[in-house]
Structures are given as C-alpha cells and as structure tokens.
Amino acid sequence: MTVRLGSGKGETKSAPRSIPQPMSPSDFLDKLMGRTSGYDARIRPNFKGPPVNVTCNIFINSFGSVTETTMDYRVNVFLRQQWNDPRLSYREYPDDSLDLDPSMLDSIWKPDLFFANEKGANFHEVTTDNKLLRIFKNGNVLYSIRLTLILSCPMDLKNFPMDIQTCTMQLESFGYTMNDLIFEWVKEQEAVQVAEGLTLPQFILRDEKDLGYCTKSYNTGKFTCIEVKFHLERQMGYYLIQMYIPSLLIVILSWVSFWINMDAAPARVGLGITTVLTMTTQSAGSRASLPKVSYVKAIDIWMAVCLLFVFAALLEYAAVNFVSRQHKEFMRLRRRQRRQRMEEEIVRESRFYFRGYGLGHCLHMKDGGTMESPKIYSPPPPTSLLKDGEMIRRRYLDRAKRIDTISRAVFPFTFLVFNIFYWVVYKVLRSEDIHQAMP
C-alpha cells in the first residue's frame, strides 16, 4: 500500500507497511511444542509444584465373554483422559481447540495410566490408530484411545447359576506417586457410559455402577488409583433348559419302575442303571465349564440330590426283589428245622435199635421166642405244608408290593419338598442377602 502526498509539483512516496499474515498450523505447532519451543515431554506439567489432576471417563463399546473357568471378562472401551498443561496454552491461533494427529502424542507429556487387574490388552489400528488428541486454548489436553481389555474378575460361585457377580476395572498410575499425579472420575457428566442396546449372552449389566478410589501403597510409594464396579446378574434360562429340566425329567423317569411288575427284573434294573448313568453324565457336564473350586455350588446340590433320588430308586427295586424272595429262604429254613427235628426223634425212638452193632434184626428170648426191635419213627408228611408255604409266599409278596406302593407316594413328595426348599433358599433368601450386601 502506497500513500501519495502531493504538494505543488513534487510528489513524495512513503515506506510500505506489511500486514501480519496468520501463522500456518505447522509453524504454530513448531512454536507450541517443537524443538525451539522449549517444551519437554519428559517433564510433567507443574514440575516441582502441585500434582497433575487427570479426570477420566470410560465409554463401554462392548461387554462380553465372561469366563468362569479363568475368572475374567473381555470389554471394549473408549478411555478418555483430560488434564491441564499450562505449557500448551496459546493465543496466537484463532481456533478454540486443535485436533491433532495421533503421531503428535509422542511430542507431549501423558499420564502413565495402566489397568491394575488387566490380564491382556491390545490397541486398535484399523484403519489407523484409534486415538484422539485435542488441545484447548487454556492448555487442557483431551486424550482418547480405544482398547480391548481382558480383566480379572474373582467370582463367588456359591449361588451359581443364580448368582450376581461384581467385576471391577482399576485404573492406576505406574510411575508417578500421588505427589505428582492424581486420577479422578469426571464429575460434570456420567463417568462410565454404556453403548445403547448393549446386551450380554448370560448376564444383565445392571445400571448401578459404583465409582470409587483404590489408592495403592507399595514400597516405592503411594500411587493413585480409581475403580468402577460392574454388577452382572446371571440369567439362568440356559441352565434351566440344559441342566435343570433334563435332570428333573430323569428323576421322574426313574419313578416309572415303581409301576413295573416286580418280576420284570431286566426292565426295572435296566431302567434304574440307565437313569443313574445318564444322571452321572449330566452332573459331569454341569461341572465342565466351571472352575475346580473347593466349596459347594447351588447346581452341585441340585445334581447331587437328583443323583441320590435316581440311585435310591434303583436300590428300592433291590429291596423289593429281596423281600419278594424271602419266602423261599423262609421255607428252606423251615424244611431244615423239620428235618433236624425228625432226625432227633429218630435217634430218640431208636436208642434200643442195635443193628448198628451187628446184633441182627431181632433179639432171641430165653424161651426160644424172639423180640422184635422197635421200628424206626417215620412221621407222616404234613398235609398243611403246601398250604403254609403258599401263605408265607403271599405274605412276603404283599410286603414287596407294599414297598412299591409306598415309594410311589414318598419319592415324589420328598422331591417336591426338596424343590420348594431349594428354590426358596436360592431364589428368594440368598438373592435378598446379595442385594442387601451390594452398596
């Protein structure tokens, strides 16, 4: 721009003035955090001053793969951290915030956050690194990253499969003590957010999420730690279909033998053994997907009682068969006793019979006559023996049938009482205790 001043015949030209051009983004970034800016990413903000407050929040993108055998769960999250770094505040650039490339993360200081109960984790790099870096005018820094985590979740399986598990996620500083770094949950908004429509195969993720602190003290110092607790309520529909109902039907099937004739031994024994083996296989299958814990689980009690009822039904036929055959043993014993009495009577009646000593069939008297020896006692066969045997046989058969008749009522009634007690204890009483114990 040239200003012309005219006076008479002569003209004078003034010196040109340049308008300052806006700084390019590259020059601005070099000035803000480049080598010439004096910014050192190795030094935390407020060095030798108050600790850096880092606010965190989590967005749960997916939640699943809760595994009882390894006691862990898999979760996909967006982890967001925000802190203030006065060295990154600016006025030269017109925008209120700058969204930077993830490669710029190496040029700034970041909190050394890690997950204390993590078993495995991986970043996502498709199609590029799933990271976000945003710097605000006042020096606030927003750092967001997408992670897939496998986190430890110690479980109490005493009420399995009617249990409620509490799984935690702990965020801790690895190298900075509480004199340098403090983690906090975001207060202005919900600190833990869940994707809309998130469902789990076997659990319901309850809305209550407990936020708190889990500060850790080690030999190297006291380190900041925050945690969130997820409450997972198990849905037992799968276990009803796969375990409870089949085992219930197997127990009922074992009662069919009470209506089968006691003389059909192959049918009743085959049915009893089949139900016992099936129940054993069912019980082993229920434990296949569970850890080998030392305490008794709810499903263990159910399977053990069902196996006991099935085995008792098999033993019931053994008792019936034994009682129904007792009349044969009784008749054999009576015949043995009768034979012994006959032998004793013969010995008593023939104490003067000397044929065993070679004295002949008779003894000669002095007058030339003979005295015949006493005849051997041979009691007539009892006429009522067959009648008594039939009465005894019927008596024992009636006893065996009575056992079957009683079992038809006792077994279902006992199993019904067990079911009432079982479901009331685990679905009502223990469920209330768990809800009261939860904060």
Side-chain angles (χ1 to χ4, degrees), residues 312-362:
L314 180 61
L315 292 182
E316 187 270 349
Y317 176 65
V320 168
N321 188 267
F322 175 78
V323 172
S324 66
R325 289 186 294 105
Q326 278 299 99
H327 73 280
K328 297 180 180 179
E329 295 293 333
F330 185 77
M331 293 301 298
R332 190 178 297 116
L333 179 62
R334 291 191 63 177
R335 284 195 297 267
R336 187 182 301 114
Q337 292 176 350
R338 186 176 292 108
R339 190 181 301 113
Q340 290 177 356
R341 286 198 302 269
M342 290 173 59
E343 292 175 354
E344 292 174 357
E345 188 70 20
I346 291 172
V347 171
R348 191 164 48 248
E349 294 292 335
S350 60
R351 60 180 177 271
F352 298 109
Y353 181 61
F354 299 103
R355 186 173 59 182
Y357 295 94
L359 298 180
H361 178 68
C362 59

Side-chain angles (χ1 to χ4, degrees), residues 287-316:
R287 296 188 299 267
S289 60
L290 297 175
K292 297 177 177 62
V293 293
S294 59
Y295 50 82
V296 179
K297 302 177 288 294
I299 197 168
D300 293 338
I301 296 177
W302 173 268
M303 290 295 176
V305 172
C306 289
L307 181 60
L308 179 63
F309 269 89
V310 170
F311 188 70
L314 180 61
L315 292 182
E316 187 270 349

Side-chain angles (χ1 to χ4, degrees), residues 131-156:
K131 299 177 181 178
L132 179 145
L133 177 61
R134 182 176 296 163
I135 299 177
F136 296 88
K137 264 190 174 183
N138 59 355
N140 285 346
V141 180
L142 174 63
Y143 173 38
S144 178
I145 185 171
R146 183 184 174 207
L147 299 169
T148 295
L149 306 167
I150 300 177
L151 301 175
S152 172
C153 179
M155 301 180 186
D156 184 4

Side-chain angles (χ1 to χ4, degrees), residues 48-63:
K48 296 295 184 182
V52 181
N53 290 322
V54 179
T55 57
C56 304
N57 75 309
I58 294 174
F59 180 84
I60 300 177
N61 193 34
S62 66
F63 197 120

Side-chain angles (χ1 to χ4, degrees), residues 93 99 200 248 270 407:
Y93 206 73
D99 292 333
L200 283 76
L248 175 66
S407 298

Side-chain angles (χ1 to χ4, degrees), residues 41 87 100 108 163 165 168 178 192 251 260 313 337 342 389 400:
R87 298 171 295 177
L100 304 180
I108 65 171
D163 53 334
Q165 300 299 334
T168 62
M178 295 192 68
V192 179
V251 173
I260 300 177
Q337 292 176 350
M342 290 173 59

